[in-house]
């Protein structure tokens, strides 16, 4: 059968109809690309004045002395200083002609001064940070938010449509052009034999390409994307409201369009160059992913794929879940069918929601009453099974089920090798080729705990991480563990985040507080000492301050999260703030109920308060609706406070976060801060930038029992109370 006959058999259109259909597709592709380009130009046009102002704001702070740094120290700056020109911005605002009118400044020097100032300005422009602040809605920023609104609301299908349009032009454009001689007898008459042969081949290529585009839905995808881009511009108020709800999407797009991604080394977790290059060479298929990724998130997903068995230790709020989902989606595109996620019960609901929102794979909640049916459905049809760390041991998965990736969220919960959950995690790591451990706190009390996680992945690597290397500091570990560990911090990769302001609120004991505290010291009850300031609510100085802070937040329409380790403290706070306070979220509240409490808190218009036990609320809940955090007392584990704050100060937060930690100047609070300072420094040194440690001379651990005993003994001496046994430091004031 000839090519022409096969074309007629397929379409019934003949060569002209076939090319007409192809041209219609190409026209749709060109139209979409033009519409998209105009939308991008609108964003870049709105961005230009903001970037120019940011550069000016930066240069006005740079003294003229910095000009020597970029000129090898050759420039004479005395004439500038004598003329009152004290900043680089002032130099740029003064023309070279006016500069050379200064005594001692000739044409060549004036040109050199301007060139040096321009070099600094160029550097400032490259690093200029553009922040969208809901509390500073000036016309220029509003114009940018309105321009971004169009692209954000075009949805994730826009990027697919644009990619399809570009690919269509590359694949379909040449054969359509080459097929022209086959469209009429007179064109064939003037074409040579070679061109006629190429025209027949081109018709065959078009006939093969069009069914493929039909299968992809290109004919509908392209015009729909154009319609989305051509909708009337939103009003400023509408765009700002949408931004508050979807800030992460706006910032992701802004970072991409404005080249505001973080420095390369920070985004790559300060990995050695060889490892980083290997990761960047790893493809990342987005066919089954429905969201865009930030540059550092794409790098994290590639790291998991390229290195196969890794720990992703990104700080709270950077999107570890979506990076794991992106890696899973890539493996699904490559033929993987079954994936398993194990997580604490508190985050299981969040995982199910994220999977549904971020990818096309089915999520199976293998937990609770319906676990047997969910497990059978997963085994039969594939997708992502989500279970809890404590239920993982009972998961009966036949050995023939090919688990393409095993993901463990909050992996530090599996740090104790003797615990059943840890043994089960280790067993699953042993039977699965690709493993991804997620943890924002790779060590809490003992740096050796991190070796346990590494041992699940690469036992052979432990021999390379010896105590001698640890003794010389964290840098000695960086190269040793680069194959398995990646960590990035908010301050390095989320330049758009509003600042977080920490305020220590020192409250003197009231008489009733003092009496309760002395009783707790006499009894040797460390946990009662920690919550003595709330023992008598009617006379509590800390409770009075909680009420004041909540009242100030209410006047400003801000949402508040109140954290405490103790349930009876939260009950006292609830009594002061009234029944409208949401919660409390505690360890005894089922995961689905926790999420419902958070949803109600988030959906409440204006001011609202959520009460949460810090060990429950710091894990797995997204609280970026809140911009005020109240910590009722300092925590034994510094990482617990950091996690709690990280639940609010994360990607998607649009307001400055105020963190108020309530402290008493005399007693347990002050001593805890002094003693625990070493633990916070240890975490910063060894874990914050992809560092591990097993032991180091300065890494002195303070266990909770010894901390309690030490403080009780010191307080007895200070208060001259009698000796007694130290009570259980695990008491949480009403259960976990």
């Amino acid at each position: 059968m000839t090519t022409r006959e096969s074309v007629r058999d397929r379409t019934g259109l003949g060569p002209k109809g076939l090319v007409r259909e192809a041209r219609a597709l190409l026209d749709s592709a060109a139209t979409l690309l033009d519409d998209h380009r105009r939308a991008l130009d609108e964003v870049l046009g709105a961005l230009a004045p903001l970037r120019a102002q940011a550069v000016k704001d930066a240069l006005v702070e740079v003294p003229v002395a910095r000009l020597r740094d970029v000129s090898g120290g050759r420039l004479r700056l005395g004439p500038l200083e004598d003329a009152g020109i004290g900043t680089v911005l002032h130099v740029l605002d003064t023309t070279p002609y006016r500069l050379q009118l200064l005594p001692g400044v000739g044409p060549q020097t004036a040109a050199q001064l301007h060139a040096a100032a321009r070099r600094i300005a160029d550097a400032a422009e490259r690093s200029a940070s553009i922040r969208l602040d809901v509390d500073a809605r000036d016309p220029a920023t509003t114009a940018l938010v309105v321009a971004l609104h169009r692209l954000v609301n075009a949805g994730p299908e826009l990027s697919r449509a644009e990619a399809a349009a570009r690919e269509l032009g590359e694949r379909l454009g040449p054969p359509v052009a080459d097929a022209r001689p086959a469209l009429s007898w007179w064109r064939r008459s003037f074409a040579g034999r070679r061109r006629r042969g190429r025209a027949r081949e081109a018709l065959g290529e078009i006939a093969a390409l069009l069914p493929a585009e039909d299968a992809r839905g290109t004919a509908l995808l392209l015009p729909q994307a154009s319609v989305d881009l051509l909708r009337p511009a939103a009003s400023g108020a509408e765009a700002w409201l949408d931004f508050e709800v979807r800030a992460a999407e706006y910032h992701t797009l802004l970072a991409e369009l404005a080249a505001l991604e973080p420095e390369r080394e920070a985004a790559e977790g300060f990995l050695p160059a060889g490892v980083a290059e290997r990761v960047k060479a790893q493809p990342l298929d987005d066919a089954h992913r429905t969201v865009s990724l930030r540059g550092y998130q794409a790098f994290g997903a590639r790291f998991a794929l390229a290195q196969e068995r890794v720990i992703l230790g990104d700080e709270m709020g950077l999107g570890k879940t979506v990076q794991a989902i992106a890696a899973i989606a890539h493996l699904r595109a490559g033929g993987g069918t079954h994936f398993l996620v194990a997580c604490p019960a508190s985050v299981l609901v969040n995982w199910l929601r994220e999977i549904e929102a971020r990818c096309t794979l089915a999520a199976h909640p293998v937990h609770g009453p319906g676990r047997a049916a969910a497990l059978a459905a997963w085994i039969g049809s594939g997708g992502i099974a989500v279970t809890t760390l404590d239920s993982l041991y009972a998961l009966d998965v036949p050995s023939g089920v090919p688990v393409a990736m095993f993901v463990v969220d909050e992996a530090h919960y599996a740090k104790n090798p003797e615990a059943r959950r840890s043994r089960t995690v280790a067993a699953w790591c042993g039977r699965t080729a690709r493993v991804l451990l997620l943890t924002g706190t790779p060590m809490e009390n003992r740096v050796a705990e991190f070796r346990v996680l590494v041992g699940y992945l690469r036992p052979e690597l432990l021999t390379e991480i010896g105590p001698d290397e640890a003794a010389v500091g964290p840098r000695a570990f960086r190269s040793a563990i680069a194959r398995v560990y990646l960590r990035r911090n908010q301050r390095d990769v989320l330049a758009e985040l509003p600042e977080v302001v920490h305020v220590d609120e020192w409250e003197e004991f009231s008489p009733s507080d003092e009496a309760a505290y002395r009783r707790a010291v006499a009894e040797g009850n460390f946990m009662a000492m920690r919550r003595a300031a709330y023992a008598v609510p009617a006379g509590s100085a800390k409770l009075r301050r909680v009420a004041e802070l909540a009242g100030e937040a209410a006047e400003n329409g801000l949402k508040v999260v109140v954290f405490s380790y103790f349930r009876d403290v939260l009950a006292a706070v609830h009594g002061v703030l009234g029944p409208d306070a949401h919660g409390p979220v505690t360890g005894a509240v089922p995961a689905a109920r926790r999420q419902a409490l958070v949803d109600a808190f988030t959906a409440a218009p204006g001011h609202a308060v959520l009460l949460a036990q810090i060990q429950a609320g710091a894990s797995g809940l997204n609280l970026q609706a809140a911009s005020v955090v109240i910590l009722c007392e300092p925590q034994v584990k510094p990482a617990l406070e950091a996690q709690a704050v990280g639940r609010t100060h994360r990607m998607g937060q649009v307001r400055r976060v105020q963190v108020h930690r309530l402290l008493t100047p005399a007693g347990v609070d002050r001593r805890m801060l002094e003693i625990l300072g070493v633990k916070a420094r240890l975490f910063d040194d060894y874990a914050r930038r992809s560092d591990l440690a097993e032991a180091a001379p300065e890494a002195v651990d303070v266990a909770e029992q010894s901390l309690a005993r030490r403080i009780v003994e010191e307080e007895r001496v200070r208060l001259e109370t009698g000796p007694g046994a130290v009570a259980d430091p695990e008491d949480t004031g009403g259960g976990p």
Side-chain angles (χ1 to χ4, degrees):
M1 183 180 294
T2 66
T3 301
R4 183 176 299 176
E5 289 171 337
S6 67
V7 170
R8 281 198 297 265
D9 288 344
R10 191 191 76 80
T11 65
L13 298 175
K16 289 183 179 180
L18 188 67
V19 173
R20 187 182 304 115
E21 184 179 340
R23 282 176 175 164
L25 266 182
L26 289 172
D27 287 344
S28 290
T31 298
L32 170 64
L33 293 176
D34 287 342
D35 295 338
H36 188 229
R37 191 174 300 108
R38 280 193 295 271
L40 293 179
D41 289 343
E42 185 179 352
V43 172
L44 296 177
L47 183 65
L50 291 173
R51 192 189 289 275
Q53 186 60 50
V55 172
K56 283 188 174 183
D57 292 343
L59 295 182
V60 78
E61 301 293 332
V62 181
V64 291
R66 292 296 304 277
L67 296 177
R68 288 196 180 97
D69 298 339
V70 296
S71 64
R74 296 187 302 273
L75 290 175
R76 295 175 59 247
L77 303 179
L80 297 182
E81 295 165 348
D82 292 342
I85 299 176
T87 69
V88 171
L89 180 62
H90 200 169
V91 173
L92 288 172
D93 287 343
T94 307
T95 65
Y97 173 75
R98 294 184 65 84
L99 284 176
Q100 71 185 49
L101 296 179
L102 299 176
V105 177
Q108 183 176 357
T109 301
Q112 290 173 338
L113 287 168
H114 247 266
R118 175 48 55 195
R119 288 178 61 186
I120 294 177
D122 290 343
E125 185 171 359
R126 288 192 297 271
S127 61
S129 177
I130 307 301
R131 179 169 293 168
L132 302 178
D133 185 352
V134 294
D135 296 321
R137 305 184 182 190
D138 57 86
T141 308
T142 297
L144 177 58
V145 175
V146 169
L148 289 169
H149 178 274
R150 185 188 303 279
L151 289 167
V152 168
N153 281 270
E157 291 302 306
L158 176 58
S159 60
R160 298 186 190 282
E162 191 212 5
R166 294 189 183 282
E167 185 178 344
L168 198 64
E170 295 171 359
R171 297 174 60 195
L172 196 56
V176 166
D178 290 344
R180 292 184 65 192
L183 300 183
S184 66
W185 67 267
W186 64 269
R187 282 196 176 98
R188 285 196 299 274
S189 300
F190 288 99
R193 177 181 298 177
R194 198 162 109 187
R195 286 190 61 198
R196 290 196 298 270
R198 172 59 193 138
R200 289 192 295 270
E201 292 174 359
L203 288 174
E205 292 173 17
I206 295 170
L209 286 171
L210 289 179
E213 297 304 324
D214 290 341
R216 295 170 62 184
T218 306
L220 293 176
L221 178 66
L222 298 179
Q224 182 58 56
S226 282
V227 168
D228 292 337
L229 288 173
L230 293 175
R231 289 195 172 110
S235 67
E238 180 185 355
W240 275 113
L241 180 61
D242 191 59
F243 168 75
E244 290 197 49
V245 175
R246 308 163 66 184
E249 296 175 54
Y250 278 77
H251 282 303
T252 296
L253 181 61
L254 180 60
E256 177 185 344
L257 299 183
L260 296 179
E261 287 292 352
E263 293 183 6
R264 180 185 59 80
E265 288 189 347
E268 296 171 3
F270 301 93
L271 294 179
V275 177
E277 291 305 316
R278 171 182 166 84
V279 171
K280 285 187 286 189
Q282 166 68 45
L284 186 61
D285 195 305
D286 67 351
H288 294 278
R289 176 164 38 90
T290 58
V291 294
S292 299
L293 300 178
R294 298 288 287 265
Y296 76 87
Q297 291 174 331
F299 186 87
R302 287 187 168 95
F303 178 78
L305 294 167
Q307 302 301 96
E308 296 187 352
R309 300 171 67 82
V310 300
I311 302 168
L312 181 60
D314 283 350
E315 192 175 16
M316 190 78 62
L318 295 184
K320 292 187 290 293
T321 302
V322 75
Q323 294 176 66
I325 291 173
I328 288 173
H330 172 89
L331 294 173
R332 177 66 187 90
T337 55
H338 292 74
F339 306 89
L340 176 61
V341 174
C343 61
S346 60
V347 301
L348 186 140
V349 174
N350 186 64
W351 262 99
L352 297 174
R353 287 185 170 194
E354 289 290 291
I355 292 168
E356 181 180 355
R358 312 294 185 186
C359 70
T360 62
L361 280 73
H364 303 274
V366 187
H367 180 66
R371 58 175 297 154
L375 179 61
W378 175 67
I379 291 173
S381 61
I384 305 176
V386 186
T387 190
T388 67
L389 285 166
D390 290 328
S391 300
L392 185 62
Y393 81 97
L395 200 65
D396 185 15
V397 180
S399 58
V401 175
V403 177
M405 176 173 274
F406 175 47
V407 179
V408 181
D409 196 9
E410 306 288 358
H412 51 278
Y413 286 169
K415 64 192 175 186
N416 179 5
E418 305 304 319
R420 182 175 65 184
R421 71 170 60 147
S422 301
R423 295 196 301 270
T424 307
V425 166
W428 269 100
C429 289
R431 66 178 282 184
T432 311
R434 293 182 180 272
V435 180
L436 176 56
L437 305 184
L438 308 177
T439 173
T441 55
M443 59 182 182
E444 294 174 290
N445 288 331
R446 308 171 193 275
V447 292
E449 292 168 359
F450 196 71
R451 298 187 79 241
V452 175
L453 302 185
V454 175
Y456 296 155
L457 304 173
R458 303 278 182 89
E460 75 282 1
L461 189 58
L462 296 180
T463 61
E464 302 178 27
I465 307 174
D468 292 340
E469 290 175 290
V472 300
R475 285 189 178 275
F477 282 91
R478 200 158 290 158
S479 60
I481 51 87
R483 284 172 282 172
V484 295
Y485 181 49
L486 175 67
R487 180 177 177 85
R488 282 78 56 89
N489 303 313
Q490 283 189 358
R491 64 173 179 264
D492 292 327
V493 298
L494 287 187
E496 79 276 1
L497 269 185
E499 64 179 325
V500 56
V501 179
H502 292 269
V503 180
D504 284 345
E505 305 270 357
W506 295 94
E507 302 295 327
E508 295 283 356
F509 275 143
S510 69
S512 59
D513 296 338
E514 177 78 25
Y517 185 73
R518 284 181 171 273
R519 285 195 301 271
V521 172
E523 295 167 359
N525 191 331
F526 178 64
M527 289 305 196
M529 290 165 60
R530 291 184 61 198
R531 60 185 189 268
Y534 302 92
V536 185
S540 170
K542 281 191 176 182
L543 274 179
R544 184 175 63 249
R545 184 56 180 153
V546 170
E548 291 172 353
L549 291 170
E552 292 174 9
E555 291 176 2
N556 291 283
L558 303 177
K559 286 184 166 64
V560 182
V561 180
V562 180
F563 287 113
S564 176
Y565 187 82
F566 306 101
R567 288 168 58 186
D568 54 359
V569 170
L570 293 176
V573 173
H574 206 292
V576 169
L577 298 184
D580 292 335
H582 298 261
V585 174
T586 72
V589 176
R593 175 60 181 158
R594 293 188 204 182
Q595 189 62 55
L597 288 170
V598 173
D599 290 345
F601 167 72
T602 302
H607 170 72
V609 178
L610 177 69
L611 309 180
Q613 244 186 323
I614 196 166
Q615 58 271 49
S619 176
L621 300 177
N622 296 331
L623 302 173
Q624 62 261 45
S627 52
V628 177
V629 176
I630 300 175
L631 303 171
C632 290
E633 72 284 322
Q635 304 304 311
V636 174
K637 297 178 179 180
L640 203 54
E641 286 189 14
Q643 281 185 320
V645 174
R647 290 295 166 194
T648 62
H649 192 245
R650 60 193 293 122
M651 185 163 37
Q653 177 59 260
V654 298
R655 288 186 169 86
R656 182 179 68 174
V657 176
Q658 307 168 39
V659 180
H660 300 266
R661 181 166 55 175
L662 305 186
L663 304 164
T664 51
V668 63
D669 291 355
R670 180 181 60 82
R671 290 299 296 130
M672 283 180 64
L673 295 186
E674 293 172 355
I675 294 172
L676 293 174
V678 65
K679 294 174 72 175
R681 289 195 299 273
L682 175 65
F683 179 83
D684 284 342
D685 287 345
Y686 283 88
R688 195 165 293 280
R689 284 193 174 178
S690 297
D691 299 328
L692 302 179
E694 178 185 19
E698 71 274 19
V700 179
D701 176 46
V702 182
E704 194 160 347
Q705 280 279 6
S706 62
L707 173 70
R709 186 173 294 107
R710 176 177 172 181
I711 292 178
V712 169
E713 291 172 354
E714 290 177 354
E715 287 299 281
R716 281 175 171 166
V717 171
R718 186 178 69 86
L719 298 177
E720 299 180 349
T721 61
V726 177
D728 181 8
E730 293 296 331
D731 173 29
T732 60

